[in-house]
Every structure is written in C-alpha cells, then in structure tokens.
Amino acid sequence: MDKIERYIPIGKENAIHQRELAEIVGVNTNKLKKKIKEARLEGAMICSNGNGYFIAGNKEEARTFYHSMRKQAITRFNSIKLIKRKLREMDGQISLFDNVEGAKLE
C-alpha cells in the first residue's frame, strides 16, 4: 500500500481536510487517523491545523506544529495526573507525593 504522505500536500496553505483526504485514500476517517499516526511514528512530518493535514514545507511550519502537539501532550498529561490523584482519593490512598508538582507518574 502507498504511504499516506504521498497524498498529503506540502505547506500549510495547501492543507487538505480530513474527510477529503480519507476519500482520496479510500478509507474512513478513523483508519486515516491511524495511518497518519503510524506515518508520524516512522518520521513523516505530517502536520495538521484547523484547515487539515499538510507536510511541513519549512522549519517554521514544523516548529509551530511541534509546539501545538507539545501543548496538547502536556494538557493530557496534567489531566492524567489529576484523574490519578482523584482515584487515589476515592480509594483513600492519597500520598504526600501526589501533590508535589512534577511528581513521577507511575
């Protein structure tokens, strides 16, 4: 099967919407997301924004996408820490270290 990058345009000004890309590739949007995730894990510079998917056309586009993904990851990590702490509270197992900023996630 072709690599997904083949169907994604270069540059944010050429971004392609998810549904359109899925139609071109011949998969549903869930399968498309999986293909993009796999391609990224293999090193493809597939970026996305509110306009769709694109291959980074320059360093600034890659950097902007990096910062966006980093912010999302930090937000998710903080949510995980909060949920973990709440679960421990519900179990009556809160520890002194659960409230320390930057505590190691087990």
Side-chain angles (χ1 to χ4, degrees), residues 2-6 8-9 12 15-18 21 29-56 61-62 64-70 72-73 76:
D2 287 337
K3 291 189 173 239
I4 191 72
E5 303 97 277
R6 178 172 179 244
I8 301 174
K12 69 178 181 178
I16 184 170
H17 290 277
Q18 182 180 55
L21 181 57
T29 55
N30 288 332
K31 182 73 173 176
L32 176 70
K33 288 178 192 178
K34 183 178 177 185
K35 286 179 167 293
I36 289 172
K37 179 181 175 182
E38 290 169 354
R40 285 175 173 163
L41 290 173
E42 291 174 3
M45 284 296 286
I46 301 172
C47 302
S48 60
N49 61 20
N51 296 321
Y53 292 106
F54 60 96
I55 303 293
E61 289 178 352
T64 298
F65 182 66
Y66 162 80
H67 287 296
S68 172
M69 292 293 283
R70 185 176 187 277
Q72 289 176 32
R76 284 185 184 214

Side-chain angles (χ1 to χ4, degrees), residues 71-96:
K71 184 177 177 182
Q72 289 176 32
I74 290 168
T75 298
R76 284 185 184 214
F77 179 73
N78 287 335
S79 295
I80 290 167
K81 286 193 326 186
L82 175 64
I83 292 167
K84 180 182 176 186
R85 190 179 85 223
K86 293 293 183 181
L87 284 169
R88 283 191 174 169
E89 287 174 3
M90 293 168 91
D91 289 339
Q93 297 178 359
I94 189 79
S95 115
L96 171 66

